[in-house]
Amino acid sequence: MKKTVLIMILFAGMVIGGCATHNDPRDGGFFGGVAGLSGGSYKKRVAEREERLEELRAAQRALDSEKGQLEVQKSTAQAQLNKDQARVKAMQSEIAALDKKTKSLAASQVTDKQRVADLQKRVVSLKGKMNQQASSLDDLEGSGLGDVDMDLRRKQLEKQRDSLRREYDLLMKMQIELAQ
Amino acid sequence: MRIGSLLILAVTVVLTIHTAAQSAPLDEIRRVLWEDALVQPDPGALEILDESSLPELLKQIDPYARYFTAREYRSPTTRREGWLGIGGELIVGSGGIFLSVYKGGAADIAGVPDRSKLLEVDGKTVAGLEPQAVAALLKGAEGSIVHLTLDLPDERQSSVALIRTAFKPLDVELVPPGDRQVLRIREFIAGMTRPALQATIDFLARKGAPINGSLILDLRDAGGGDLYEAFDLADLFLPPGTLLGKVQTRGGEFTEIRASPGKKYLMPVVLIVGPGTASSAEIFAGALHQQGRAKLLGQQTYGKCSSQTDTHLSDGSVLRYTNREVVLPGGSSCSGAGLLPDREVSDAELIDIVLLVGEVDSLSVTE
């Protein structure tokens, strides 16, 4: 009986000892924990953990800041896109008005029929290009392009819109001249 | 007309293949060609035009003449509204069929490198097939899947499943290695390619590309488009008043096209050209090259400096025919001759953009 109790105590000791592979008491080891408390390595461990924690917090802050920047960028891009879409829509209305005026000009007793026909053709072409601009802007998100190429597409559309604006101004001038 | 040892035929996979003409208004076609074609056809040739063999007979009158039903027609000078497919063009070379990959298309998204060699489509080998037959294999409904087996440029073999999707390509693409200002133009779209090129050059400058570094324009897949857009692009690089070319119309009348005032780009320009560089692209390249403003790298171009117009017929169908010839600043047309590069490269080099960029450096230094 005594022998059995002794074996059990020894076995229990081995089990407890088996847990004590770390010096940090927070790791749950009993002997190591006590040894850590008495040997000063507990404070060292705490300091190390705090340092690690601070590193993690710094990384989290950097991620938060990056996320914030991305959100600002996204919202700026969205605002720019909304602005571009509004501009294109306004130009579509202006071109529609120009188209209407040109049609009425064609129906009137204007002398230079050839120039009016040419103007009409160019207005129709401009209208088509402007509609394509509008749909390209609408499809910008989810176009499958990466960030750099999407940014490039935005710049190309912007420049093309400016170019179409100049073409519109020219056609408007032609229309006024022909109407006089 | 000389087409180089590497015959490049670009077949846009997203396009519909045109079918035979139906109920063509033959008298109208005869009248348009008689009155307006660059070279007035022989009355006998017009007389024998008939429905059943219209495409062949039109080609005998004018090699670039073509008839489209209203449903088939798409203007070559305007941007395509809807694209659907794998996002690539087939480039047929002496070594096989290669994929020219569009940014943002399904192939690009799946990571297929540009100029990968196509071996199989859905398990069917493409060896020996006509490009149109391969294009037909690649086409399908939006959302459907096509399996490709490819030889990648690094000589590894790869299998990839692509979902056919709708996409809109960039009007001017940045091609890797992008930090070297390699810009790819595939089409000259009226009123669109010039501002797109300006935006792309400005975009690169803002990204820190060297102001005096060579601008490399990749025209290998540029098969044409709007003639005046080609002049408008050349105009960006040449001083005001410089001759860009002369447009010849019926009866031998010439109209000179000269560079306009305005902002000009001054950096050195290198144009990558090949047998697939044709029409408006050759006129653009010829204007810059013959005015000493750009070097040409690659292979002899296709050789077509004529321009076609599309006339809408009374039933909504369209007749395309040649009505202008462009004489380059050097005094001759490129039709039938093509443009010769300052530095010629091999077929293997022509499909390797990294090697080509390396050649640009040696071209700038030594020539």
Side-chain angles (χ1 to χ4, degrees), chain A residues 132-133 135 153 156 160, chain B residues 79 81 168-169 171-172 200:
Chain A
Q132 286 192 351
Q133 284 297 100
S135 89
R153 158 70 61 79
Q156 290 184 356
Q160 287 169 335
Chain B
R79 188 160 56 191
E81 180 57 32
K168 285 192 175 175
D171 291 325
V172 175
T200 311

